[in-house]
């Protein structure tokens, strides 16, 4: 692998991590928007303060609690298939949160590129992981699907809150 190819591979990984952070933050904002809707417009300022003191883990847990208990989501809970889908979405949000922590708090070895191997992600808990183009594409694809799914969930929350407030 030439030095130019090594630089390109390193730049592609760093660009992927940067894009990942942006999309992850967008997903987290959709979680927050769902919570804000369920907590009510009249509580907006207090709810924003509450969110600012919560970890991502706590926000995802609160999302699941509100889905199951919030009166504004009665319609959503009345569909067993939606309950099952939402539960899986919450599980995936937690898995992605863990991946984010691993991705951002790992060390990366670029030396292996010199001998023709992909970048290696070194994480003390997860071990060494291949971070070549295929692994990066998998991360992008899975994050994109999660973004689409949380967007659908947010739209459902909007509809359920509107239906609840007009009832």
């Amino acid at each position: 692998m030439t030095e130019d190819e090594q630089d390109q591979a390193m730049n592609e990984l760093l660009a992927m991590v940067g894009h990942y952070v942006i999309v992850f933050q967008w997903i987290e904002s959709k979680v927050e928007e769902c919570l804000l809707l369920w907590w009510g417009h009249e509580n907006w300022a207090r709810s924003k303060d509450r969110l600012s003191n919560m970890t991502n883990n706590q926000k995802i847990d609160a999302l699941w609690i509100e889905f199951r208990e919030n009166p504004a989501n009665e319609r959503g809970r009345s569909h067993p298939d939606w309950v099952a889908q939402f539960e899986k979405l919450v599980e995936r949000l937690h898995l992605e949160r863990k991946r984010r922590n691993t991705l951002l708090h790992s060390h990366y070895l670029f030396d292996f590129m010199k001998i023709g191997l992909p970048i290696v992600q070194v994480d003390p808990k997860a071990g060494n992981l291949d971070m070549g183009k295929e692994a990066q594409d998998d991360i992008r694809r899975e994050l994109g699907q999660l973004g689409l799914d949380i967007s659908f969930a947010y739209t459902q929350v909007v509809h359920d809150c509107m239906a609840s407030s007009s009832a």
Side-chain angles (χ1 to χ4, degrees):
M1 182 176 273
T2 68
E3 196 169 316
D4 286 344
E5 290 170 329
Q6 292 171 23
D7 287 346
Q8 182 179 351
M10 184 172 67
N11 289 337
E12 287 172 1
L13 173 72
L14 296 174
M16 186 278 299
V17 171
H19 293 146
Y20 179 92
V21 168
I22 291 166
V23 174
F24 187 91
Q25 287 176 323
W26 180 85
I27 289 170
E28 185 175 19
S29 75
K30 285 297 171 202
V31 169
E32 291 178 358
E33 289 173 32
C34 289
L35 291 169
L36 289 168
L37 286 167
W38 278 329
W39 292 340
H41 184 69
E42 67 280 2
N43 302 315
W44 205 260
R46 195 177 61 203
S47 296
K48 291 291 278 184
D49 286 341
R50 181 177 172 190
L51 284 170
S52 70
N53 292 313
M54 294 173 76
T55 65
N56 188 263
N57 184 42
Q58 292 168 328
K59 292 172 189 176
I60 295 168
D61 287 344
L63 185 73
W64 182 229
I65 290 167
E66 293 301 325
F67 179 86
R68 291 186 328 242
E69 298 175 5
N70 194 295
N73 191 43
E74 186 176 330
R75 185 176 87 141
R77 287 188 301 271
S78 70
H79 302 285
D81 57 327
W82 178 232
V83 174
Q85 281 183 310
F86 203 91
E87 184 174 22
K88 286 180 182 163
L89 175 62
V90 167
E91 290 170 8
R92 290 173 45 225
L93 287 166
H94 274 302
L95 289 172
E96 200 60 49
R97 174 185 59 77
K98 291 174 185 172
R99 176 167 37 199
R100 185 236 13 224
N101 291 346
T102 300
L103 190 64
L104 297 182
H105 298 293
S106 290
H107 298 285
Y108 294 91
L109 300 178
F110 297 96
D111 294 339
F112 290 98
M113 292 189 305
K114 294 175 185 170
I115 57 173
L117 296 174
I119 299 166
V120 174
Q121 176 186 4
V122 180
D123 181 273
K125 294 177 186 171
N128 297 348
L129 303 171
D130 169 349
M131 284 302 293
K133 182 165 175 31
E134 188 175 317
Q136 293 174 42
D137 289 345
D138 289 346
I139 290 170
R140 282 187 184 101
R141 185 179 55 258
E142 291 167 9
L143 188 67
Q145 185 62 53
L146 183 61
L148 182 64
D149 293 345
I150 192 67
S151 183
F152 286 144
Y154 169 74
T155 301
Q156 190 64 49
V157 171
V158 168
H159 289 290
D160 288 346
C161 284
M162 289 177 67
S164 172
S165 67
S166 65

